[in-house]
Amino acid sequence: MRTGGEVLVDQLLIHGVSNAFCVPGESYLAVLDALYGTRIALTVCRQEGGAAMMAEASGKLTGRAGVCFVTRGPGASNAMHGLHIAQQDSTPMILFVGHVARSAAGRDTFQELDYRAVFGTVAKWVEVIDDARRVPELVARAFRIAESGRPGPVVLALPEDMLTDIVEVADAAAVAPVETYPSADQVEAFAAMLAAAERPVAVLGGSRWSAEAVAGFTAFAEAASLPVYVSFRRQMLFPASSPCYGGDMSLGANPAIAREIEAADLVILLGTRLSEVPSNHFTLLGIPVPRQKLVHVHPEPQEIGQIYTPTLGIAASPAAFVRALATVDPHAPDAGRRSRTEAIHASYLAWSDPSGVTIPGELQMGEVMASLAGRLGPDTIFCNGAGNYAIWLHRFRRFERFGTQLAPTSGSMGYGVPAAVAAKTMRPDRTVVAFAGDGCFLMNGQEFATAVQYGLAFVVILVDNTMYGTIRMHQERDYPGRVSGTGLKNPDFAAYARAFGGHGETVRTTAEFMPALERALASNLPAILHCHIAPEALSPTMRMAEPA
């Protein structure tokens, strides 16, 4: 005989949950009590948006559903931020929401929400568990739905009185994601199309990858001399040092990427939906019928043909598809393909070289990025939110290994610090660095207190240009000379870090940066390096006077 809360926690243990993120609420006190003394580490956060982002980042890092607990009404509303990231980024995540008592439901009770209506367009599945005896069944279903097909968020609402009901019920068995595999005929057709192509390219993205899958596809691409690009904020899916790597299809991407894809005779989309940002506003491939032959491999059948009609559609996870490539002869590439692939990689190396990139002001971010490359190893996990400052990281950091990047393809601000908390929680032995803009940081900067509370020593490189820089860039382009709503007056962020009990330093010149970074790393504390850059430097290539 167990309470509903105890049954729920037992299911989390069965499904391998080791960490959960929360903001406490009286609506699910029975769950908090059931968590007491278990091996599930509970990270208590300062705002539900940050907690939900941490759970999403955990799911992105591990491939298993990240878990978040929030209370009803305002708490659940705050968590929408993380749910939207999980939906757009195809990240497995389960949000448990404390709910009003069953006897009071439907009366517009204190903090009551209709969770199916509120979250139904964002989550893969939303359910209210009205019967404690159904907890094992519905939690198992939640994990299966969140992790299978195209992964995404699931919301389970927990009525307060259900959690204190005492019931006798059997536990569910642990579930694994439902795998999708290519057929032998599909693999054969793919091999034939690749062998016949003169100018093929591959684009990698999405989720359902693993370190083994990345290594396997890297070996296959190099044997076939196949140029490989990665989708927006998915650089960790292919090593930058590979002679086949062509770069990332990001905001501010290398213009050569679009030219090569438009000139390709075969495009292989592996795991990615090729949404708005990587497709350059849906212009790279024809819609609905691409100009190029298209192979689209995706774990969710409904995603195939949703925007682009493929020549060959394969419902398979990236990991399963890469395993199937072991039977494919990549064929020795001819000199023409090798030469083209070498040129594509050379273009990437030139584009990602920060030397010679100068901006107004005394702090040169190009030199900062070059210094970071020499100091921070390939296992370093980089996190960021949204803003032009992130271009410095995406363009100039040469990612080498899977599991080293946490960034929202949804373009959500405020993500970097919560993601760093999750990364250091899940991977305590790794160096973690968060990039943040001044506007981005303060959207969830309070989670720096969470980092201090749990002794999570990561470094925030906070790039401050005293404005919402991305919006100002567009404003200068479309409404020159009419500044409205984009200026910011910022605090002393180094003092902010110290006030929370962390390490904080101010960086105004290039020469000050590396000594400050070394002190931050040596402090063994959460740290903020408050880096002041000139407002005129809108991006690595754009200046205030000439933003176009």
Side-chain angles (χ1 to χ4, degrees):
M1 304 296 288
R2 294 172 287 178
T3 67
E6 290 169 339
V7 175
L8 173 60
V9 170
D10 285 343
Q11 306 319 300
L12 298 182
L13 291 165
I14 288 168
H15 293 295
V17 174
S18 60
N19 296 81
F21 303 89
C22 81
V23 174
E26 69 272 21
S27 59
Y28 69 96
L29 279 173
V31 176
L32 293 174
D33 181 72
L35 285 166
Y36 183 84
T38 71
R39 63 177 181 272
I40 296 176
L42 188 65
T43 300
V44 180
C45 308
R46 300 309 177 101
Q47 205 257 16
E48 292 86 357
M53 289 183 190
M54 292 177 200
E56 190 280 340
S58 168
K60 190 174 281 172
L61 197 61
T62 65
R64 302 304 306 272
V67 171
C68 180
F69 284 93
V70 299
T71 196
R72 59 198 177 217
S77 300
N78 284 338
M80 174 67 88
H81 204 169
L83 286 177
H84 185 254
I85 297 170
Q87 185 270 324
Q88 290 227 326
D89 286 40
S90 303
T91 304
M93 171 185 169
I94 301 176
L95 178 71
F96 292 97
V97 182
H99 190 25
V100 301
R102 290 165 293 185
S103 60
R107 295 176 175 172
D108 198 16
T109 300
F110 178 64
Q111 296 186 335
E112 183 178 7
L113 280 180
D114 181 341
Y115 295 107
R116 293 186 181 94
V118 171
F119 296 127
T121 60
V122 175
K124 288 185 72 176
W125 181 52
V126 183
E127 187 57 274
V128 179
I129 306 181
D130 282 328
D131 185 344
R133 290 169 296 186
R134 296 193 65 191
V135 167
E137 168 202 349
L138 298 179
V139 170
R141 187 189 302 180
F143 276 93
R144 184 174 289 110
I145 291 173
E147 296 177 350
S148 299
R150 176 187 171 186
V154 166
V155 178
L156 291 180
L158 311 170
E160 186 175 0
D161 55 337
M162 181 277 294
L163 293 172
T164 58
D165 282 350
I166 297 177
V167 297
E168 183 175 4
V169 62
D171 291 324
V175 301
V178 175
E179 190 60 278
T180 46
Y181 300 90
S183 70
D185 289 345
Q186 289 171 330
V187 174
E188 184 178 345
F190 167 78
M193 291 175 66
L194 180 60
E198 295 181 357
R199 299 182 63 86
V201 298
V203 179
L204 314 184
S207 50
R208 305 287 300 273
W209 286 86
S210 65
E212 294 75 20
V214 169
F217 193 79
T218 301
F220 179 84
E222 291 177 353
S225 198
L226 173 65
V228 176
Y229 301 108
V230 294
S231 186
F232 181 44
R233 296 180 166 173
R234 288 293 188 265
Q235 287 101 312
M236 68 176 186
L237 296 182
F238 202 82
S241 60
S242 169
C244 293
Y245 185 60
D248 66 303
M249 299 164 69
S250 182
L251 295 167
N254 183 352
I257 296 176
R259 293 195 296 268
E260 286 295 338
I261 291 179
E262 288 170 349
D265 57 0
L266 174 64
V267 176
I268 303 159
L269 301 183
L270 179 51
T272 180
R273 297 180 296 118
L274 201 68
S275 55
E276 182 181 11
V277 172
S279 68
N280 195 18
H281 306 290
F282 298 108
T283 61
L284 285 184
L285 306 180
I287 298 174
V289 180
R291 296 177 294 276
Q292 310 90 331
K293 289 184 178 180
L294 175 66
V295 175
H296 194 181
V297 183
H298 198 279
E300 177 53 63
Q302 292 183 348
E303 294 292 341
I304 298 172
Q306 187 174 107
I307 300 175
Y308 312 103
T309 302
T311 312
L312 175 63
I314 302 175
S317 70
F321 181 75
V322 171
R323 287 195 296 271
L325 291 181
T327 65
V328 174
D329 181 0
H331 298 287
D334 60 28
R337 184 187 289 186
R338 285 197 301 271
S339 176
R340 171 173 169 262
T341 302
E342 290 169 1
I344 287 172
H345 185 58
S347 176
Y348 162 72
L349 292 177
W351 180 256
S352 61
D353 182 359
S355 63
V357 177
T358 59
I359 59 174
E362 295 184 77
L363 179 57
Q364 293 297 316
M365 288 300 297
E367 293 185 44
V368 166
M369 296 309 301
S371 298
L372 290 177
R375 176 62 178 84
L376 300 177
D379 284 331
T380 301
I381 300 173
F382 283 89
C383 314
N384 65 269
N388 275 9
Y389 73 87
I391 296 175
W392 292 102
L393 176 60
H394 295 328
R395 177 171 170 180
F396 298 114
R397 175 66 185 181
R398 294 177 178 174
F399 288 87
E400 288 292 327
R401 295 184 183 170
F402 181 73
T404 57
Q405 182 182 33
L406 293 172
T409 67
S410 67
S412 180
M413 295 179 72
Y415 183 84
V417 172
V421 170
K424 198 64 179 177
T425 299
M426 306 302 293
R427 302 285 187 266
D429 58 326
R430 304 276 283 277
T431 301
V432 176
V433 174
F435 270 67
D438 46 333
C440 184
F441 175 84
L442 277 181
M443 290 195 177
N444 276 305
Q446 73 280 350
E447 301 305 342
F448 192 81
T450 305
V452 172
Q453 178 173 341
Y454 292 95
L456 305 173
F458 57 81
V459 178
V460 180
I461 297 175
L462 198 159
V463 182
D464 182 358
N465 61 358
T466 68
M467 61 178 146
Y468 288 116
T470 303
I471 311 307
R472 180 66 179 276
M473 177 185 70
H474 295 305
Q475 191 171 65
E476 289 290 329
R477 181 193 63 206
D478 297 335
Y479 304 96
R482 297 176 61 84
V483 180
S484 176
T486 52
L488 296 172
K489 182 174 177 58
N490 290 318
D492 180 340
F493 288 110
Y496 179 100
R498 294 191 294 270
F500 279 107
H503 180 88
E505 296 202 33
T506 301
V507 176
R508 296 184 183 276
T509 69
T510 307
E512 292 172 346
F513 179 81
M514 282 307 292
L517 176 66
E518 294 294 350
R519 290 189 292 270
L521 292 170
S523 74
N524 204 31
L525 293 170
I528 295 175
L529 300 185
H530 185 184
C531 301
H532 293 265
I533 66 169
E536 293 78 17
L538 293 172
S539 80
T541 57
M542 298 181 185
R543 307 292 174 259
M544 188 78 77
E546 46 185 35

